[in-house]
Amino acid sequence: QSVLTQPPSVSGTPGQRVTISCSGSTSNIGSNTVNWYKQLPGTAPKLFIYSNDERPSGVPDHFSGSKSGTSASLAISGLQSEDEADYYCAAWDDSLNGYVFGTGTKVTVL
Amino acid sequence: QVQLVESGGGVVQPGRSLRLSCAASGLTFSNYGMHWVRQAPGKGLEWVAVISYDGSYKYYTDSVKGRFTISRDNSKNTLYMQMNSLRVDDTAVYYCAKAQVVQMVRKGPDYWGQGTLVTVSS
Protein backbone atom coordinates (compact mmCIF):
# COMPACT_ATOMS: atom_id res chain seq x y z
CA GLN A 1 0.00 0.00 0.00
CA SER A 2 1.49 3.32 -1.13
CA VAL A 3 2.18 5.94 1.52
CA LEU A 4 2.20 8.79 -0.99
CA THR A 5 -1.24 9.74 -2.30
CA GLN A 6 -1.89 11.05 -5.80
CA PRO A 7 -5.12 11.61 -7.74
CA PRO A 8 -5.85 8.62 -10.00
CA SER A 9 -6.24 10.80 -13.06
CA VAL A 10 -6.05 14.33 -14.40
CA SER A 11 -6.99 15.55 -17.83
CA GLY A 12 -6.83 18.68 -19.92
CA THR A 13 -6.97 20.04 -23.41
CA PRO A 14 -3.85 20.86 -25.43
CA GLY A 15 -2.21 24.02 -24.13
CA GLN A 16 -3.92 23.82 -20.76
CA ARG A 17 -2.07 23.72 -17.43
CA VAL A 18 -2.60 20.74 -15.15
CA THR A 19 -1.12 19.85 -11.79
CA ILE A 20 -0.62 16.53 -10.02
CA SER A 21 -0.51 16.53 -6.24
CA CYS A 22 1.44 14.14 -4.04
CA SER A 23 0.59 13.97 -0.35
CA GLY A 24 2.93 12.37 2.15
CA SER A 25 4.07 12.78 5.72
CA THR A 26 6.90 14.13 7.85
CA SER A 27 8.87 10.89 7.49
CA ASN A 28 9.01 11.00 3.70
CA ILE A 29 8.27 14.21 1.78
CA GLY A 30 8.68 16.29 4.94
CA SER A 31 12.25 15.03 5.43
CA ASN A 32 13.55 14.13 1.98
CA THR A 33 13.56 15.33 -1.59
CA VAL A 34 10.92 14.26 -4.09
CA ASN A 35 11.40 12.69 -7.49
CA TRP A 36 8.82 12.36 -10.24
CA TYR A 37 8.81 9.56 -12.82
CA LYS A 38 7.01 9.33 -16.15
CA GLN A 39 5.96 5.95 -17.49
CA LEU A 40 4.56 5.20 -20.93
CA PRO A 41 2.59 1.95 -21.40
CA GLY A 42 4.81 -1.11 -21.59
CA THR A 43 8.02 0.79 -20.88
CA ALA A 44 10.25 1.43 -17.89
CA PRO A 45 9.77 4.57 -15.80
CA LYS A 46 11.93 7.57 -16.59
CA LEU A 47 13.15 10.15 -14.08
CA PHE A 48 11.43 13.42 -14.95
CA ILE A 49 11.97 15.67 -11.91
CA TYR A 50 14.55 15.18 -9.16
CA SER A 51 15.32 16.97 -5.91
CA ASN A 52 11.82 18.49 -5.84
CA ASP A 53 12.20 20.86 -8.77
CA GLU A 54 15.18 19.94 -10.96
CA ARG A 55 14.73 18.75 -14.52
CA PRO A 56 17.18 16.23 -16.02
CA SER A 57 18.55 17.18 -19.42
CA GLY A 58 16.08 16.41 -22.17
CA VAL A 59 12.97 16.96 -20.07
CA PRO A 60 10.85 19.74 -21.58
CA ASP A 61 10.75 22.99 -19.64
CA HIS A 62 6.95 23.02 -19.51
CA PHE A 63 7.29 20.53 -16.64
CA SER A 64 7.99 21.90 -13.17
CA GLY A 65 8.06 20.47 -9.68
CA SER A 66 7.58 21.98 -6.24
CA LYS A 67 7.44 20.92 -2.62
CA SER A 68 5.91 22.47 0.47
CA GLY A 69 5.88 20.76 3.84
CA THR A 70 4.61 17.21 3.39
CA SER A 71 3.24 17.68 -0.12
CA ALA A 72 4.67 18.01 -3.59
CA SER A 73 3.28 18.91 -6.99
CA LEU A 74 4.09 18.37 -10.63
CA ALA A 75 2.83 21.02 -13.00
CA ILE A 76 2.49 20.61 -16.74
CA SER A 77 1.92 23.90 -18.49
CA GLY A 78 1.06 23.94 -22.18
CA LEU A 79 -0.19 20.35 -22.17
CA GLN A 80 0.84 18.33 -25.24
CA SER A 81 -0.36 14.99 -26.59
CA GLU A 82 3.02 13.42 -25.88
CA ASP A 83 2.56 14.24 -22.20
CA GLU A 84 -0.04 11.48 -21.91
CA ALA A 85 1.44 8.94 -19.50
CA ASP A 86 1.41 7.73 -15.92
CA TYR A 87 3.30 9.89 -13.43
CA TYR A 88 4.60 8.79 -10.03
CA CYS A 89 6.02 10.82 -7.18
CA ALA A 90 8.55 9.17 -4.87
CA ALA A 91 10.70 9.86 -1.82
CA TRP A 92 12.78 8.12 0.80
CA ASP A 93 10.87 7.30 4.00
CA ASP A 94 12.93 7.55 7.20
CA SER A 95 10.43 5.51 9.26
CA LEU A 96 10.20 2.64 6.79
CA ASN A 97 13.88 2.84 5.80
CA GLY A 98 12.84 2.46 2.22
CA TYR A 99 11.89 4.28 -0.93
CA VAL A 100 8.18 4.90 -1.44
CA PHE A 101 6.22 5.63 -4.56
CA GLY A 102 2.97 7.47 -4.99
CA THR A 103 -0.19 5.77 -6.15
CA GLY A 104 0.30 7.12 -9.66
CA THR A 105 -1.65 9.56 -11.83
CA LYS A 106 -2.77 8.99 -15.39
CA VAL A 107 -2.61 12.16 -17.47
CA THR A 108 -5.00 12.29 -20.40
CA VAL A 109 -4.96 14.91 -23.13
CA LEU A 110 -8.51 15.47 -24.35
CA GLN B 1 25.46 5.64 -21.72
CA VAL B 2 24.10 3.76 -18.73
CA GLN B 3 22.60 0.41 -19.60
CA LEU B 4 20.87 -1.98 -17.21
CA VAL B 5 19.72 -5.37 -18.46
CA GLU B 6 17.64 -7.64 -16.27
CA SER B 7 17.33 -11.38 -16.75
CA GLY B 8 16.12 -14.45 -14.91
CA GLY B 9 12.38 -13.90 -14.95
CA GLY B 10 9.91 -16.60 -15.86
CA VAL B 11 7.02 -18.70 -14.67
CA VAL B 12 7.42 -20.42 -11.29
CA GLN B 13 5.12 -22.26 -8.92
CA PRO B 14 4.19 -20.82 -5.52
CA GLY B 15 6.77 -21.67 -2.88
CA ARG B 16 9.62 -22.05 -5.37
CA SER B 17 12.66 -19.84 -5.91
CA LEU B 18 14.05 -17.64 -8.65
CA ARG B 19 17.15 -15.48 -9.02
CA LEU B 20 17.11 -12.27 -11.00
CA SER B 21 20.23 -10.63 -12.40
CA CYS B 22 20.89 -7.12 -13.63
CA ALA B 23 23.96 -6.49 -15.76
CA ALA B 24 25.19 -2.90 -15.69
CA SER B 25 27.37 -1.04 -18.17
CA GLY B 26 28.27 2.55 -18.98
CA LEU B 27 28.85 3.50 -15.34
CA THR B 28 31.28 2.89 -12.50
CA PHE B 29 29.02 0.28 -10.96
CA SER B 30 30.89 0.08 -7.66
CA ASN B 31 30.12 3.75 -6.94
CA TYR B 32 26.35 3.46 -6.91
CA GLY B 33 23.67 1.90 -4.79
CA MET B 34 21.13 -0.17 -6.71
CA HIS B 35 17.38 -0.64 -6.32
CA TRP B 36 14.85 -3.28 -7.31
CA VAL B 37 11.35 -1.99 -8.07
CA ARG B 38 8.41 -4.07 -9.22
CA GLN B 39 5.11 -3.46 -10.93
CA ALA B 40 2.26 -5.95 -10.80
CA PRO B 41 0.14 -6.19 -13.96
CA GLY B 42 -2.00 -3.08 -14.29
CA LYS B 43 -0.75 -1.70 -10.96
CA GLY B 44 1.58 1.02 -9.75
CA LEU B 45 5.26 0.97 -8.89
CA GLU B 46 6.36 -0.74 -5.69
CA TRP B 47 9.87 -0.37 -4.30
CA VAL B 48 11.30 -3.74 -3.26
CA ALA B 49 14.87 -3.36 -2.02
CA VAL B 50 18.08 -1.37 -2.18
CA ILE B 51 21.74 -2.21 -1.64
CA SER B 52 24.51 0.26 -0.96
CA TYR B 53 27.39 0.79 -3.37
CA ASP B 54 29.64 -1.57 -1.43
CA GLY B 55 26.96 -4.00 -0.23
CA SER B 56 27.41 -2.97 3.40
CA TYR B 57 23.75 -2.22 3.94
CA LYS B 58 20.50 -3.41 2.46
CA TYR B 59 16.88 -2.43 3.01
CA TYR B 60 13.70 -4.25 2.02
CA THR B 61 10.01 -3.58 1.85
CA ASP B 62 8.13 -5.47 4.57
CA SER B 63 6.34 -7.88 2.25
CA VAL B 64 9.61 -9.47 1.04
CA LYS B 65 11.69 -9.42 4.23
CA GLY B 66 12.97 -12.87 5.04
CA ARG B 67 12.13 -14.17 1.56
CA PHE B 68 14.14 -11.98 -0.85
CA THR B 69 17.87 -11.21 -0.69
CA ILE B 70 19.52 -8.44 -2.67
CA SER B 71 23.22 -8.74 -3.44
CA ARG B 72 25.84 -7.48 -5.85
CA ASP B 73 29.14 -8.47 -7.41
CA ASN B 74 31.09 -5.33 -8.22
CA SER B 75 33.76 -7.34 -10.04
CA LYS B 76 31.07 -8.46 -12.50
CA ASN B 77 29.04 -5.23 -12.56
CA THR B 78 26.00 -7.27 -11.67
CA LEU B 79 23.11 -6.90 -9.23
CA TYR B 80 21.08 -9.87 -8.01
CA MET B 81 17.81 -10.64 -6.30
CA GLN B 82 17.34 -14.08 -4.81
CA MET B 83 13.62 -14.69 -4.39
CA ASN B 84 12.53 -17.59 -2.20
CA SER B 85 9.11 -18.79 -1.06
CA LEU B 86 7.50 -16.99 -3.95
CA ARG B 87 3.82 -16.12 -3.68
CA VAL B 88 1.18 -15.38 -6.29
CA ASP B 89 1.22 -11.72 -5.29
CA ASP B 90 4.93 -11.49 -6.17
CA THR B 91 3.88 -11.64 -9.83
CA ALA B 92 5.22 -8.48 -11.44
CA VAL B 93 7.70 -6.92 -13.79
CA TYR B 94 10.90 -6.45 -11.82
CA TYR B 95 13.09 -3.47 -12.67
CA CYS B 96 16.61 -2.82 -11.50
CA ALA B 97 17.50 0.84 -11.18
CA LYS B 98 20.64 2.77 -10.42
CA ALA B 99 20.77 5.17 -7.49
CA GLN B 100 20.94 8.75 -8.66
CA VAL B 101 23.75 9.94 -6.41
CA VAL B 102 27.16 8.44 -5.81
CA GLN B 103 27.29 6.47 -2.57
CA MET B 104 23.81 7.55 -1.52
CA VAL B 105 20.52 5.66 -1.90
CA ARG B 106 18.08 8.10 -0.28
CA LYS B 107 17.81 10.24 -3.42
CA GLY B 108 16.18 7.39 -5.31
CA PRO B 109 16.92 5.90 -8.72
CA ASP B 110 17.54 7.60 -12.03
CA TYR B 111 18.27 5.03 -14.75
CA TRP B 112 16.09 1.92 -15.03
CA GLY B 113 16.41 -1.35 -16.91
CA GLN B 114 13.68 -2.62 -19.21
CA GLY B 115 12.38 -5.09 -16.63
CA THR B 116 11.91 -8.84 -16.41
CA LEU B 117 8.55 -10.52 -15.82
CA VAL B 118 8.12 -12.91 -12.93
CA THR B 119 4.91 -14.93 -12.93
CA VAL B 120 4.07 -17.02 -9.88
CA SER B 121 1.33 -19.47 -10.71
CA SER B 122 0.40 -23.06 -10.12
Side-chain angles (χ1 to χ4, degrees):
Chain A
Q1 187 171 351
S2 300
V3 298
L4 303 182
T5 303
Q6 301 177 230
S9 64
V10 298
S11 62
T13 56
Q16 197 173 7
R17 174 184 168 93
V18 298
T19 61
I20 303 170
S21 61
C22 175
S23 178
S25 67
T26 54
S27 63
N28 41 66
I29 294 178
S31 305
N32 297 286
T33 58
V34 177
N35 288 349
W36 289 88
Y37 299 88
K38 176 182 180 180
Q39 186 180 33
L40 295 169
T43 69
K46 176 183 176 182
L47 180 64
F48 235 58
I49 295 287
Y50 68 95
S51 295
N52 306 326
D53 57 8
E54 300 289 338
R55 278 181 288 106
S57 62
V59 171
D61 60 6
H62 66 277
F63 284 86
S64 62
S66 64
K67 185 184 106 167
S68 178
T70 59
S71 295
S73 292
L74 176 69
I76 311 174
S77 56
L79 195 62
Q80 302 175 12
S81 58
E82 54 264 39
D83 298 334
E84 275 205 347
D86 293 324
Y87 293 84
Y88 295 89
C89 60
W92 186 265
D93 191 296
D94 293 336
S95 295
L96 298 175
N97 263 333
Y99 199 63
V100 291
F101 287 93
T103 48
T105 299
K106 182 176 183 61
V107 171
T108 302
V109 181
L110 301 171
Chain B
Q1 72 280 20
V2 175
Q3 195 166 15
L4 302 171
V5 180
E6 302 93 338
S7 60
V11 180
V12 63
Q13 293 180 325
R16 305 298 290 265
S17 300
L18 208 58
R19 189 175 86 153
L20 305 182
S21 299
C22 170
S25 60
L27 74 159
T28 304
F29 183 70
S30 58
N31 280 354
Y32 293 92
M34 295 292 296
H35 298 260
W36 285 102
V37 179
R38 66 185 179 183
Q39 187 169 34
K43 302 297 184 182
L45 300 173
E46 181 187 20
W47 176 83
V48 177
V50 66
I51 185 170
S52 62
Y53 68 100
D54 59 355
S56 62
Y57 62 87
K58 309 168 186 180
Y59 298 117
Y60 301 88
T61 191
D62 283 347
S63 63
V64 308
K65 283 179 183 174
R67 301 189 300 122
F68 289 13
T69 302
I70 189 171
S71 62
R72 64 190 298 157
D73 186 337
N74 286 346
S75 69
K76 295 182 178 179
N77 288 351
T78 303
L79 173 73
Y80 303 100
M81 177 68 85
Q82 177 66 43
M83 303 187 296
N84 299 331
S85 303
L86 281 162
R87 309 189 302 219
V88 172
D89 61 358
D90 293 319
T91 295
V93 174
Y94 285 74
Y95 296 100
C96 69
K98 163 192 161 293
Q100 183 184 356
V101 178
V102 170
Q103 298 184 8
M104 184 188 295
V105 300
R106 297 164 62 93
K107 292 291 188 179
D110 51 5
Y111 289 95
W112 299 58
Q114 84 289 348
T116 186
L117 177 62
V118 173
T119 302
V120 185
S121 174
S122 55

